[in-house]
Amino acid sequence: MRPGTEIVMTDAATRRIGDVDAYRRTLVAAAYRMLGTLADAEDAAQEAYVRWLRLDAGEREAIENPGGWLMRVTGRICLDVLGSARVRHETYVGEWLPETIPVGTASGDPAAVVVGAEEVSTALLLVLETLTPAERVAFVLHEVFAVPFAEIAGVLGRSAAACRQLAASARRHVGRRAGASVPRSRHDELIAAFAAASASGSLDALVRVLAPDVVLVSDGGGIVSAARRPVRGADHVARFLLGLAAKQPTATYEPAITGDGLGYAIRVDGVIVAAVTFATDGERITHVWMMRNPEKLSAWV
């Protein structure tokens, strides 16, 4: 079943206020893909529910498809947020990364278990960041959640034909930037080799599993220590990682499945301090994304 299938169901029983809560996880899933962080996604979904509750009983009864209505409202909210996101990112302390969510998290918060999280990689979210707000909303609503262009037109304030063009442009852009697909099994083999090399403490061993032009990006949000700029090159990245390990000798590295494949949760004294995900070219690791901002680690607790 596609992540958005349930959102287009039209059952008269869902018109009752209590029943629309069944759509919450799907709305959070859509907003997460549009905004890149779980907190923003939850806020957007919550605002959509607030607007639903502000309708009078007659207005709610007249809505034949509450899920579709909530999805459209969530899309409009996300469009507004994306309009200001670029400014927020420019004033962000250090490098900004989208939030990584582990697949099958044991978190007690149901909203943290984002629908289809295994399909959402850091790499994809970073590509979506390069789209215009309208392209991103059109792409997510249509390509992922199968919202018709006629309905997206109401979200973006454009014609259905224009929305179709936006989604097509976004799809081409995502396709160009996505790079070659690496089988998940091969990706995980390379990450396991990386873990072994890191554990050995050998600079040479670690350099061998990294691509010559590898890039490491660390997001601390100005809250915790992190590299303010990307670290580039196999030797520099290897030295950075080994230096970090030396500063945290009691840290434990727990394998975790993410949308990027195998990754690691780093804990110190049982407390999550970082989540690390990777991209590979099938031969070596090309990107290391290290999330250290505690505000973006809520799903890893």
Side-chain angles (χ1 to χ4, degrees):
M1 181 180 293
R2 297 183 64 172
T5 302
E6 61 180 351
I7 208 72
V8 297
M9 293 176 63
T10 56
D11 183 346
T14 61
R15 293 176 184 152
R16 298 192 303 272
I17 296 176
D19 289 340
V20 298
D21 196 56
Y23 299 114
R24 186 178 300 274
R25 285 179 60 196
T26 304
L27 297 176
V28 172
Y32 168 63
R33 288 160 171 80
M34 286 186 270
L35 301 178
T37 70
L38 187 55
D40 285 344
E42 290 175 328
D43 287 346
Q46 183 62 31
E47 175 60 24
Y49 276 97
V50 168
R51 296 184 187 185
W52 168 266
L53 292 172
R54 285 175 179 165
L55 300 175
D56 62 37
E59 289 173 321
R60 283 194 293 268
E61 185 64 25
I63 297 173
E64 295 185 359
N65 181 359
W69 185 92
L70 286 165
M71 180 64 91
R72 290 192 297 275
V73 171
T74 300
R76 284 195 291 271
I77 293 167
C78 289
L79 184 66
D80 291 340
V81 174
L82 286 169
S84 62
R86 193 176 304 276
V87 175
R88 288 191 290 133
H89 293 176
E90 288 175 352
T91 59
Y92 193 80
V93 178
E95 294 293 313
W96 185 93
L97 285 173
E99 183 175 354
T100 299
I101 295 178
V103 175
T105 176
S107 171
D109 181 3
V113 188
V114 174
V115 176
E118 67 277 4
E119 300 172 1
V120 189
S121 65
T122 303
L124 173 61
L125 290 174
L126 286 170
V127 172
L128 293 180
E129 281 290 311
T130 66
L131 302 176
T132 67
E135 285 177 331
R136 187 165 183 172
V137 171
F139 178 84
V140 171
L141 290 182
H142 183 72
E143 299 296 322
V144 183
F145 293 90
V147 177
F149 287 118
E151 296 185 20
I152 297 174
V155 174
L156 299 181
R158 308 189 186 198
S159 68
C163 293
R164 186 185 300 275
Q165 291 178 343
L166 284 170
S169 173
R171 187 168 55 249
R172 289 193 298 270
H173 185 80
V174 170
R176 287 195 301 268
R177 296 288 297 271
S181 177
V182 176
R184 180 61 59 87
S185 59
R186 178 56 180 161
H187 172 279
D188 292 355
E189 286 177 5
L190 290 169
I191 305 312
F194 165 87
S198 297
S200 73
S202 168
L203 178 65
D204 290 341
L206 193 51
V207 167
R208 282 196 295 271
V209 301
L210 300 173
D213 57 351
V214 62
V215 178
L216 179 149
V217 178
S218 180
D219 180 343
I223 301 173
V224 298
S225 176
R228 291 293 186 93
R229 298 179 182 276
V231 182
R232 302 179 183 277
D235 185 73
H236 289 155
V237 169
R239 291 180 185 278
F240 176 87
L241 291 169
L242 292 177
L244 185 63
K247 294 177 182 177
Q248 298 178 324
T250 63
T252 60
Y253 297 77
E254 302 173 0
I257 302 302
T258 72
D260 295 283
L262 181 63
Y264 285 90
I266 303 177
R267 297 182 187 273
V268 175
D269 299 326
V271 177
I272 181 76
V273 296
V276 189
T277 54
F278 308 83
T280 79
D281 60 7
E283 297 296 329
R284 293 175 179 167
I285 293 169
T286 58
H287 293 83
V288 181
W289 297 298
M290 182 175 291
M291 178 54 66
R292 295 181 58 82
N293 185 342
E295 294 181 350
K296 296 182 185 179
L297 292 171
S298 61
W300 293 79
V301 176

